[in-house]
């Protein structure tokens, strides 16, 4: 059985989806790749915007998209280091 | 506490420098572990950080008391008094080192168990520290207990390496293997002073490996 993701892992996964697919990613794409319910994704996206890790933008055709901010890129870089560090000591997320 | 091992005279000073280096490496791991905890809020990252901070304190205390002992040897007082001071600082350094190192190893061991039972931590602390303070030969007791904890930790990190097959996990497994061997040599340094030197060198290899792992992580 696959383990339940921690809040930190979910945040990292959302930011990774935006980084890989970016710079402007539609919420439907994030939804399909992040394995979250619509309600949970809305909560996480709001939190990440509040923390300044990503920004919501309105495209010409009226569609909403999300992009990583500079702080978001830095957070993701740190998150990868922390993940590698924890993995080397065998204390990766439960 | 009587001196349980003899450091060769030529090695005095070098051991202090090495302990200072070990403290710096352990502090770096404690710092990055804390950073990991702040980011992930995982209790295991907090335990890792606390364990390495305690280990760093163990080395700092030992090197500070060793320096004080050397200074005491050069004091302008009669020779027997100088020796008294030297042995006093040496004993204080050994006690402080044993206390903080044991604390660090216990916390690391608890971290590897991956269970949230503070009672278990309390029992491990209680049994180890009561043994340390009531033993007739506290340092010998410390080295034996430390050996058991290091053996468990080495097994855990080797098993982890077998699961992950990553170079970083290998570095940590090897580092703990060297720490285990170094601890074993400290046990034998009671009878042969060269073991004291060899134990320090093995410890140096272990901390270099830990530092290499940190460098591999940070250069990403």
């Amino acid at each position: 059985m696959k383990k339940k993701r921690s809040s930190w892992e979910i945040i990292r996964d959302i930011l990774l989806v935006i980084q890989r697919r970016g710079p402007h990613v539609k919420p439907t794409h994030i939804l399909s790749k992040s394995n979250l319910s619509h309600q949970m994704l809305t909560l996480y996206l709001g939190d990440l915007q509040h923390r300044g890790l990503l920004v919501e933008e309105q495209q010409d055709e009226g569609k909403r998209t999300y992009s990583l901010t500079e702080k978001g890129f830095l957070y993701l870089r740190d998150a990868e280091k922390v993940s590698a560090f924890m993995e080397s000591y065998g204390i990766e997320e439960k | 506490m009587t001196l349980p091992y003899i450091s060769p005279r030529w090695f005095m000073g070098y051991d202090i420098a090495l302990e200072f280096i070990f403290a710096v490496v352990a502090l770096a791991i404690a710092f990055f572990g804390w950073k990991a905890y702040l980011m992930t809020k995982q209790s295991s990252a907090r335990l890792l950080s606390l364990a390495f901070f305690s280990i760093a304190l163990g080395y700092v205390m030992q090197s500070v008391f060793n320096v004080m002992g050397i200074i005491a040897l050069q004091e302008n007082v009669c020779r027997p008094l100088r020796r008294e001071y030297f042995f006093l600082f040496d004993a204080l350094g050994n006690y402080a080192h044993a206390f903080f190192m044991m604390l660090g190893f216990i916390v690391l061991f608890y971290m590897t168990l991956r269970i949230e039972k503070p009672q278990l931590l309390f029992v491990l602390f209680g049994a180890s520290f009561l043994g340390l303070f009531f033993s007739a030969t506290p340092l010998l007791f410390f080295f034996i207990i430390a050996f058991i904890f290091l053996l468990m930790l080495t097994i855990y990190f080797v098993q982890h390496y077998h699961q992950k097959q990553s170079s970083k996990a290998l570095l940590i497994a090897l580092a703990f293997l060297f720490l285990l061997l170094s601890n074993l040599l400290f046990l034998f340094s009671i009878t042969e002073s060269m073991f004291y030197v060899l134990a320090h060198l093995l410890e140096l290899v272990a901390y270099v490996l830990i530092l290499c792992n940190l460098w591999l992580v940070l250069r990403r």
Side-chain angles (χ1 to χ4, degrees):
Chain A
M1 198 171 78
K2 208 165 189 281
K3 68 183 171 70
K4 195 168 172 270
R5 284 180 300 171
S6 66
S7 164
W8 177 69
E9 281 178 293
I10 295 171
I11 290 172
R12 192 188 56 190
D13 289 350
I14 293 172
L15 295 179
L16 267 175
V17 168
I18 301 174
Q19 187 195 39
R20 284 176 188 157
R21 187 69 181 224
H24 307 288
V25 186
K26 291 178 191 166
T28 45
H29 185 78
I30 305 172
L31 189 69
S32 66
K33 294 286 175 188
S34 61
N35 259 329
L36 286 171
S37 68
H38 183 266
Q39 194 183 7
M40 286 299 285
L41 181 67
T42 310
L43 278 173
Y44 273 104
L45 289 176
D47 177 50
L48 293 176
Q49 279 184 84
H50 180 72
R51 289 164 64 177
L53 299 178
L54 52 86
V55 283
E56 186 185 293
E57 292 158 332
Q58 290 286 338
Q59 298 300 317
D60 294 340
E61 58 271 34
K63 295 260 171 73
R64 274 185 305 141
T65 58
Y66 291 91
S67 307
L68 285 186
T69 61
E70 186 63 33
K71 198 177 166 187
F73 277 108
L74 288 175
Y75 181 92
L76 203 49
R77 198 186 63 185
D78 280 353
E80 280 173 14
K81 286 177 185 171
V82 161
S83 195
F85 175 76
M86 289 176 70
E87 202 185 299
S88 65
Y89 283 91
I91 55 165
E92 54 271 48
E93 310 82 66
K94 280 190 270 186
Chain B
M1 192 190 297
T2 51
L3 257 184
Y5 51 77
I6 307 145
S7 167
R9 215 173 168 78
W10 62 267
F11 196 60
M12 273 175 103
Y14 290 111
D15 54 352
I16 297 171
L18 285 172
E19 283 148 16
F20 182 74
I21 292 168
F22 304 156
V24 171
V25 176
L27 265 182
I29 301 299
F31 173 77
F32 203 77
W34 193 252
K35 193 178 168 182
Y37 167 66
L38 291 180
M39 195 173 236
T40 64
K41 300 289 175 215
Q42 295 272 323
S43 64
S44 49
R46 182 176 52 187
L47 289 172
L48 181 82
S49 173
L50 290 175
F52 272 95
F53 184 70
S54 183
I55 289 170
L57 264 183
Y59 287 121
V60 168
M61 296 298 250
Q62 193 179 35
S63 48
V64 165
F65 279 114
N66 279 345
V67 169
M68 287 169 80
I70 289 176
I71 292 169
L73 277 179
Q74 288 153 0
E75 286 284 317
N76 195 17
V77 287
C78 62
R79 198 173 163 178
L81 198 58
R82 266 186 279 170
R83 279 178 59 86
E84 278 297 309
Y85 281 142
F86 176 79
F87 284 119
L88 171 71
F89 288 128
D90 188 70
L92 286 173
N94 285 339
Y95 259 124
H97 177 72
F99 178 84
F100 286 110
M101 292 297 280
M102 205 137 86
L103 189 68
F105 292 149
I106 290 171
V107 173
L108 270 182
F109 175 66
Y110 180 73
M111 175 198 84
T112 61
L113 294 178
R114 286 178 171 266
I115 47 170
E116 302 260 338
K117 289 266 183 227
Q119 301 96 316
L120 176 67
L121 203 54
F122 182 76
V123 169
L124 288 171
F125 283 148
S128 305
F129 293 124
L130 284 176
L132 183 70
F133 287 109
F134 289 107
S135 169
T137 50
L139 265 191
L140 192 64
F141 176 84
F142 161 66
F143 285 130
I144 292 169
I145 289 289
F147 180 81
I148 295 168
F149 281 117
L150 280 169
L151 181 66
M152 293 296 110
L153 288 169
T154 306
I155 291 170
Y156 172 81
F157 287 120
V158 168
Q159 283 175 342
H160 176 66
Y161 165 68
H162 276 292
Q163 276 174 11
K164 295 285 170 184
Q165 295 288 323
S166 77
S167 56
K168 294 187 204 76
L170 176 65
L171 286 174
I172 297 302
L174 284 174
F176 274 85
L177 185 65
F178 277 107
L179 281 180
L180 178 74
L181 293 174
S182 146
N183 193 79
L184 196 66
L185 289 183
F186 273 124
L187 261 171
F188 294 118
S189 62
I190 297 165
T191 49
E192 174 56 56
S193 64
M194 270 316 284
F195 283 129
Y196 180 81
V197 179
L198 284 173
H200 270 82
L201 293 178
L202 287 183
E203 241 179 333
L204 178 66
V205 174
Y207 282 99
V208 166
L209 291 171
I210 289 173
L211 197 62
C212 283
N213 173 60
L214 188 65
W215 180 75
L216 283 175
V217 166
L218 292 179
R219 72 165 192 165
R220 286 169 77 95

